[in-house]
Amino acid sequence: MGKSIVKKVLVCINGTSESIKAAMYTILFAKQIGCSVKALYVVDTATIKFLLNSRFLATDEKVLYEKKFNQDGKHYLEYVESLARTKGIKIESQMREGSVCYEIIEEAESWGADMIIVGGKKKQPLSKQLSDNPRGSIKAWSTIGNQLMAYASCPVLVVNREGIEETFKVS
């Protein structure tokens, strides 16, 4: 059997259940193929700055939001690290601040990631989308996953696997 083409995987955490499921998937993936894993949490300061400039936030609120998001990020990264320990996987953690998509791509490139894994939501089946829309067009979903697939220099895997929690428990 040849060498694995995936040696480093960057998993993106944002605190949603989808990102935690992506972390579980990544941990099991790393256990099977023996790759290195880094978990990344990005504090979305770009959106906070936009909201401040648009006067939706006051300056003191900006500071509170950034502090809260930094605390959340540390908490979620520690949780993912503890999940990895339960499976005997060492995981590196990183926090960045800025525009989410840009920071993910920058971290993937600077770390030399061979793959980026993000969580995704299961959408309506295509047949349901088409029947709900008389013109027959499909909704365009603008997500971080889509943006990453368009601009990242490595493959992007969007995980929306049902039942990953159960698989994680028994693996």
Side-chain angles (χ1 to χ4, degrees):
M1 183 173 190
K3 291 185 179 182
S4 174
I5 60 172
V6 179
K7 295 178 181 92
K8 290 183 170 185
V9 175
L10 180 68
V11 61
C12 305
I13 307 302
N14 65 5
T16 62
S17 62
E18 291 84 13
S19 74
I20 299 302
K21 289 176 186 178
M24 290 176 177
Y25 185 92
T26 303
I27 292 164
L28 295 177
F29 183 76
K31 188 175 177 179
Q32 284 186 349
I33 69 166
C35 63
S36 299
V37 178
K38 181 184 270 191
L40 176 67
Y41 183 96
V42 178
V43 176
D44 190 358
T45 56
T47 298
I48 294 171
K49 184 177 180 182
F50 171 78
L51 293 172
L52 179 67
N53 291 339
S54 300
R55 301 182 197 261
F56 285 106
L57 288 179
T59 304
D60 57 337
E61 290 176 308
K62 172 190 177 282
V63 173
L64 290 173
Y65 275 104
E66 287 179 351
K67 182 178 178 183
K68 172 76 169 111
F69 292 147
N70 273 290
Q71 290 171 342
D72 288 350
K74 288 176 186 170
H75 169 77
Y76 292 123
L77 289 173
E78 287 170 1
Y79 179 65
V80 169
E81 289 171 358
S82 72
L83 288 174
R85 277 193 301 275
T86 67
K87 300 301 179 194
I89 300 295
K90 184 172 177 2
I91 194 167
E92 187 179 340
S93 295
Q94 177 80 34
M95 281 187 62
R96 292 182 74 130
E97 294 183 356
S99 171
V100 175
C101 186
Y102 178 82
E103 294 301 326
I104 292 169
I105 291 171
E106 284 293 306
E107 186 61 35
E109 289 177 358
S110 68
W111 187 56
D114 299 305
M115 179 183 286
I116 299 170
I117 298 181
V118 296
K121 290 185 179 181
K122 203 117 173 129
K123 303 296 181 198
Q124 283 184 330
L126 180 58
S127 59
K128 176 85 170 122
Q129 286 185 44
L130 292 173
S131 68
D132 288 351
N133 188 336
R135 294 180 180 219
S137 63
I138 301 169
K139 294 178 186 175
W141 297 97
S142 177
T143 65
I144 294 297
N146 289 342
Q147 292 172 22
L148 290 172
M149 285 186 271
Y151 299 108
S153 59
C154 63
V156 176
L157 175 62
V158 179
V159 175
N160 61 7
R161 183 165 174 195
E162 298 289 329
I164 191 67
E165 301 95 337
E166 293 304 315
T167 304
F168 190 83
K169 285 178 188 176
V170 299
S171 294

